[in-house]
Each structure stands twice: as structure tokens, then as C-alpha cells.
Amino acid sequence: MAQTKETNFVFAPQTRSLNRKKYCRFKKSGIKYIDYKDVNFLSKFVNEQGKILPRRITGNSQKYQKKVAEAIKRARFIAIMPFVTDGYK
């Protein structure tokens, strides 16, 4: 008697993090001014190669994403942050 082995593919339900709505952390925290001298805070909006992360990933509103990009560019210009690097974080 040959037994047939059926493989049941069980799809795990999506986790909460995938379904969670993104929010603007600046609006939620009430941050009005983004300091270009705070490199630790600005590094959260930059990937490992030094590129600025887009709005769709960070969840920022358009107003604050522009301010973040401007602050990162200022920090790069005065050599607080690197323009491009390997293994920034």
C-alpha cells in the first residue's frame, strides 16, 4: 500500500507591521524644527549607502520630508554627515 504524502502549504497570516498605517513621527511628537546638527537623529532617515530614504518608507508627511532632506543636505555640506559611504551604520 502506497501512501501518498500531501504537502499542505500553510500561509501564515500577515503580521501587524505590514498592515499598520504609517504615520508622520513629527506630527505625532509635535516637532516643529529639525536640527541639522543632530546627526544621530538624521541618520534614521538615511540608508547604509548614505541615500535619503523616501516618504513611502519613512512615513513622513511631505512638509517634514522636505525639511528632513534639507537638514541632511546642510549636514553633508558642512561635513557633519558623509555624502556616500560603505557601511555607514
Side-chain angles (χ1 to χ4, degrees):
M1 300 203 170
Q3 292 181 351
T4 57
K5 220 177 194 183
E6 292 184 24
T7 307
N8 294 333
F9 293 102
V10 179
F11 294 103
Q14 292 182 345
T15 59
R16 288 191 97 181
S17 63
L18 295 176
N19 294 335
R20 189 176 301 164
K21 183 169 170 62
K22 294 180 185 136
Y23 65 93
C24 180
R25 71 178 80 194
F26 298 103
K27 285 184 181 178
K28 189 173 184 180
S29 302
I31 297 173
K32 300 285 183 197
Y33 176 72
I34 300 169
D35 191 14
Y36 65 91
K37 294 171 276 195
D38 190 4
V39 179
N40 293 329
F41 181 71
L42 292 177
S43 65
K44 295 176 186 175
F45 302 100
V46 177
N47 67 4
E48 292 83 21
Q49 290 112 13
K51 296 180 181 178
I52 300 171
L53 294 173
R55 279 181 59 202
R56 60 186 164 80
I57 294 176
T58 60
N60 295 336
S61 64
Q62 181 180 5
K63 175 182 173 181
Y64 288 105
Q65 182 68 21
K66 286 182 181 180
K67 289 183 179 184
V68 166
E70 183 180 347
I72 290 171
K73 290 173 186 177
R74 283 183 181 174
R76 286 174 174 170
F77 185 73
I78 62 171
I80 296 176
M81 289 180 71
F83 281 93
V84 179
T85 183
D86 293 330
Y88 177 65
K89 292 184 179 179

